Amino acid sequence: MTGRLSFAVTVVLVLCALSLVNAQYQARRLFIELERAQSSARQLDIDWAQLQLDQSTLGKNSRIEALARRDLNMVSLTPERTQYLTVRDK
């Protein structure tokens, strides 16, 4: 009787030990996955901040004016170059 009881207790202890090892493995795997997700979130935050900075820079009037002058050879409007149109009544 004691031999069977010892065997049963040993089997239960081995199963508990295997369960503990499996739980630790799962916890480690989930922790690594969490670390990767947090790292990815930090990188996305950095990318978002950079995109916001780029958007504010690209939308400035001085930059748009400089690009228009350089790439499109545009010049500022002056009163001498302005043409006024009048509507004639019929």
Side-chain angles (χ1 to χ4, degrees):
M1 180 75 165
T2 58
R4 286 185 179 195
L5 183 60
S6 290
F7 180 73
V9 169
T10 303
V11 168
V12 169
L13 285 175
V14 168
L15 290 175
C16 286
L18 289 174
S19 175
L20 177 64
V21 168
N22 186 42
Q24 287 178 337
Y25 170 77
Q26 293 296 332
R28 252 187 230 116
R29 187 180 59 79
L30 289 173
F31 180 75
I32 290 169
E33 189 176 326
L34 174 65
E35 288 292 318
R36 285 182 183 153
Q38 287 174 340
S39 175
S40 177
R42 282 189 296 271
Q43 185 60 45
L44 287 173
D45 284 341
I46 291 169
D47 291 347
W48 175 252
Q50 184 63 44
L51 286 172
Q52 286 180 323
L53 179 64
D54 290 348
Q55 183 181 19
S56 69
T57 303
L58 292 174
K60 288 186 177 178
N61 288 337
S62 59
R63 183 178 185 281
I64 294 171
E65 185 176 345
L67 287 173
R69 287 180 189 276
R70 187 187 73 213
D71 296 342
L72 302 175
N73 297 323
M74 297 179 92
V75 294
S76 295
L77 188 61
T78 61
E80 296 83 34
R81 296 179 51 129
T82 304
Q83 294 180 0
Y84 295 97
L85 301 176
T86 59
V87 177
R88 293 187 192 175
D89 293 328
K90 291 185 180 184

